[in-house]
């Protein structure tokens, strides 16, 4: 009963969150340790308001210990006449799913820098992530739904001097399909204003 109550609280917070961006540009992976257990490369198509219609993002992640991994992100968006996306995050694993509590939990401290012709955006995004892996019968694959809730603190600096700093609750919902031991396919949806977005991508352990 306690597990069900906690899950309902997490889902309720996510539904009523106002914007979306756990990690600066997306959660991109479940809350469990990295698929394959070592390092991971990812490439993603970003669609929606956060990148002004469309963008691409690459990620490389490294495992420092069974309970800690970190990542670096680099991408390009269609914002204005184009913008460069730079990001990084540190992610300690808080809990591994077990019979008493069947969710993987992680804390993610994300930082992002978006650089365009006339605007610079700095984001700090601390978030709590949760996921659960469902093994697929008859294969080595799995489906892992995931979500995150956090706080997006962002500073927007425009060339005309109109700087602004604000913060918003953040939420993301996603699903990773482990197609093979060396390939994961993700779909992720963010809700809210101004970052309604959808992400499609591949995660490849190495």
């Amino acid at each position: 009963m306690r597990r069900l109550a906690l899950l309902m609280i997490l889902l309720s917070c996510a539904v009523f969150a106002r914007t979306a961006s756990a990690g600066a540009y997306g959660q991109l992976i479940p809350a469990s340790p990295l698929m394959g257990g070592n390092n991971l490369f990812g490439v993603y198509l970003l669609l929606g308001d956060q990148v002004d219609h469309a963008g691409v993002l690459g990620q490389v992640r490294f495992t420092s210990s069974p309970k800690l991994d970190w990542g670096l992100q680099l991408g390009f968006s269609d914002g204005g006449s184009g913008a460069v996306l730079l990001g990084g995050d540190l992610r300690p694993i808080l809990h591994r799913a077990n019979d008493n509590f069947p969710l993987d939990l992680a804390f993610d401290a994300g930082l992002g820098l978006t650089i365009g012709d006339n605007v610079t955006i700095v984001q700090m995004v601390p978030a709590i992530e949760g996921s659960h892996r469902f093994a697929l019968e008859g294969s080595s694959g799995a489906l892992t739904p995931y979500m995150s809730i956090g706080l997006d603190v962002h500073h927007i600096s425009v060339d005309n001097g109109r700087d602004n700093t604000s913060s918003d609750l953040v939420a993301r919902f996603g699903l990773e399909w482990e197609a093979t031991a060396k390939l994961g396919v993700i779909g992720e949806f963010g809700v809210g204003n101004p970052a309604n977005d959808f992400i499609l991508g591949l995660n490849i352990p190495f």
Side-chain angles (χ1 to χ4, degrees):
M1 192 69 181
R2 183 183 302 172
R3 290 177 289 176
L4 179 60
L6 179 58
L7 182 59
M8 291 301 295
I9 291 171
L10 290 173
L11 290 174
S12 297
C13 290
V15 168
F16 290 103
R18 289 188 298 160
T19 179
S21 176
Y25 305 111
Q27 183 174 338
L28 308 176
I29 54 173
S32 55
L34 300 183
M35 183 174 61
N38 294 309
N39 307 312
L40 181 142
F41 171 76
V43 59
Y44 314 96
L45 174 65
L46 313 179
L47 302 170
D49 296 341
Q50 181 162 255
V51 290
D52 196 11
H53 302 309
V56 292
L57 185 74
Q59 172 177 232
V60 61
R61 301 196 68 85
F62 303 96
T63 298
S64 295
S65 75
K67 292 189 175 182
L68 180 68
D69 60 72
W70 55 280
L72 299 171
Q73 298 91 36
L74 173 64
F76 181 81
S77 82
D78 194 31
S81 57
V84 175
L85 313 176
L86 300 171
D89 71 295
L90 187 68
R91 197 180 69 129
I93 305 297
L94 303 178
H95 175 77
R96 294 295 311 274
N98 56 37
D99 291 338
N100 294 323
F101 189 78
L103 293 179
D104 290 303
L105 295 176
F107 173 77
D108 187 67
L111 181 66
L113 176 63
T114 301
I115 305 172
D117 282 346
N118 302 307
V119 63
T120 300
I121 303 172
V122 178
Q123 293 174 269
M124 293 182 292
V125 190
I128 294 293
E129 302 176 349
S131 66
H132 182 79
R133 184 178 185 271
F134 296 92
L136 297 176
E137 293 185 11
S139 73
S140 60
L143 291 175
T144 305
Y146 63 84
M147 63 171 288
S148 60
I149 304 170
L151 184 69
D152 185 344
V153 181
H154 48 276
H155 177 79
I156 301 175
S157 178
V158 185
D159 285 354
N160 62 15
R162 295 183 180 179
D163 292 7
N164 179 58
T165 300
S166 59
S167 61
D168 297 284
L169 290 175
V170 300
R172 303 199 74 88
F173 306 90
L175 178 69
E176 181 181 62
W177 169 41
E178 293 179 31
T180 71
K182 293 293 184 180
L183 179 65
V185 181
I186 69 135
E188 183 175 310
F189 180 61
V191 293
N193 180 26
N196 295 293
D197 62 14
F198 186 69
I199 299 174
L200 290 171
L202 301 176
N203 288 325
I204 304 168
F206 65 93

